[in-house]
Amino acid sequence: MGATAVVNENLLNGLHRLLFRVLRVRLLWLIVLVLALFGVLDVVQALITAGVITAVLVAARWSLRRAFAPRVTALCPVRGDGRTLLAVAGPRRRIQVTDPATGSAVTVLKGHRGWVMALCEVDTGDRVLLASAARDRTVGLWDPETAAEVAVLTGAGIGPSSVCQVRAPGGVLVASGAQDGKLRLWRPESGAPVHVLAPEAGGVMAVCGVPVKGGHGELLASGHTDGTVRLWDPTTGEPVRTLTGHVGGWPNALCVVPGPKRVLLASAGTDERVRLWNPATGNQLRAMKDDFGWLHALSPVTYGGRTLLASGGDGPGVKLWDPADGRLVDTVGGAAFIFGPYGCGWVRALCQVEVAGEPRLVTGGYDKRIGDWPLTA
């Protein structure tokens, strides 16, 4: 990690496990019992000691969450009511749908019992839905126009981290990845499960649908904590190929970058690099280094009439890369993320929205504001 890298969600989760799961019952009470049996503490002192330590651990866990938890965990443009809306998720177990043209709230989606970690638009052909993956081990499907919860896809696993739509020959599927290492696919119309994929590759940090040459559906891409990006056939559930390159880290984000000749797959993560792949062959085309820490978000954007790749993470600003040659074209925000109203500038999510026909970059992360930046050369 770079010198400016900060405590992120993965380390935070590790501290939670150490402070609250390991010590809260077994080890703590075993130590107290041993001390009481050997006369170091009497029973009353032992109970008081255990209670004090438990209270300290609970307070430490709560303080860590409050201090380092992102205020915005996911952003997603979604079509509704004849316009493009912006869905915003955070740790308050709800999703706010806003009008990016005015900044006003359109509706609030309520129903999850855990943090909403990922969002995506799902176009079934008959209607457009919003999918949300949350820590309550469910994936919700919502109507963004009416705020109605259309379906709840249960059994999303421990620590759902990502969600996407995948176009298969038999129709659109909803795919989710979780930190238990499994990928799950459902049919959005019925909520019926299709596949559960369980590669021995560590937790799933990101998923993405990748178009297949010729327009015959898509592959499912998944990023894992063993440093690999894996491609799957969503119809059969069989692995297609494994992309290796994130040495000493893992991919936190995946996205497709459309091009004039072919579609590329982009990945970025804890090795401080944005990598571009040819999904048809599995070859890595280039790697762009970000010197400011872990990367958490990727999105294709339109900038000056061409398609660039935007990346955000622990460093100041959002980098705009040219996928054709890997050149850094521009940095959006820059010092404003550190000294301006956007707080410490750790970007957790980003996407592009259209406002009055003009592309704009929207960012969110560890402060309470949504960044809105014009994409003009």
Side-chain angles (χ1 to χ4, degrees), residues 32-33 35-49:
V32 171
L33 178 61
L35 292 176
L37 289 176
F38 284 89
V40 178
L41 296 173
D42 60 32
V43 176
V44 175
Q45 288 176 324
L47 292 175
I48 293 175
T49 302

Side-chain angles (χ1 to χ4, degrees), residues 143-376:
D143 186 325
E145 295 184 19
T146 65
E149 190 172 32
V150 177
V152 178
L153 310 180
T154 59
I158 300 173
S161 59
S162 49
V163 66
C164 74
Q165 79 163 14
V166 186
R167 298 188 181 277
V172 171
L173 301 176
V174 175
S176 72
Q179 293 182 1
D180 62 3
K182 295 180 181 179
L183 295 152
R184 296 165 174 86
L185 292 100
W186 294 270
R187 297 197 181 280
E189 299 89 350
S190 62
V194 178
H195 295 296
V196 177
L197 313 179
E200 296 182 359
V204 182
M205 303 305 295
V207 292
C208 175
V210 183
V212 176
K213 187 176 181 180
H216 303 295
E218 295 180 331
L219 298 177
L220 173 63
S222 58
H224 299 260
T225 54
D226 68 348
T228 63
V229 175
R230 297 170 184 254
L231 298 177
W232 307 83
D233 185 329
T235 302
T236 64
E238 294 297 320
V240 176
R241 60 184 58 91
T242 299
L243 317 181
T244 58
H246 285 276
V247 180
W250 59 79
N252 279 328
L254 299 171
C255 79
V256 166
V257 184
K261 296 182 179 179
R262 59 184 175 180
V263 171
L264 302 180
L265 175 64
S267 63
T270 63
D271 59 351
E272 305 178 1
R273 284 168 174 78
V274 178
R275 300 180 186 273
L276 287 170
W277 313 82
N278 182 349
T281 63
N283 294 332
Q284 179 177 293
L285 303 178
R286 56 190 59 88
M288 295 86 82
K289 190 171 189 314
D290 190 315
D291 295 319
F292 288 97
W294 293 18
L295 298 170
H296 303 288
L298 286 174
S299 177
V301 296
T302 302
Y303 182 85
R306 53 179 172 162
T307 299
L308 300 182
L309 177 62
S311 67
D314 293 344
V318 174
K319 304 291 194 307
L320 301 182
W321 309 90
D322 189 337
D325 55 16
R327 179 173 55 91
L328 178 62
V329 177
D330 199 358
T331 300
V332 177
F337 276 93
I338 301 177
F339 304 110
Y342 298 98
C344 52
W346 309 334
V347 176
R348 181 66 172 77
L350 59 85
C351 68
Q352 176 182 301
V353 296
E354 298 285 335
V355 177
E358 296 294 330
R360 301 187 70 87
L361 178 67
V362 180
T363 62
Y366 290 78
D367 49 47
K368 297 181 180 180
R369 295 176 181 266
I370 301 295
D372 184 1
W373 314 89
L375 286 168
T376 53

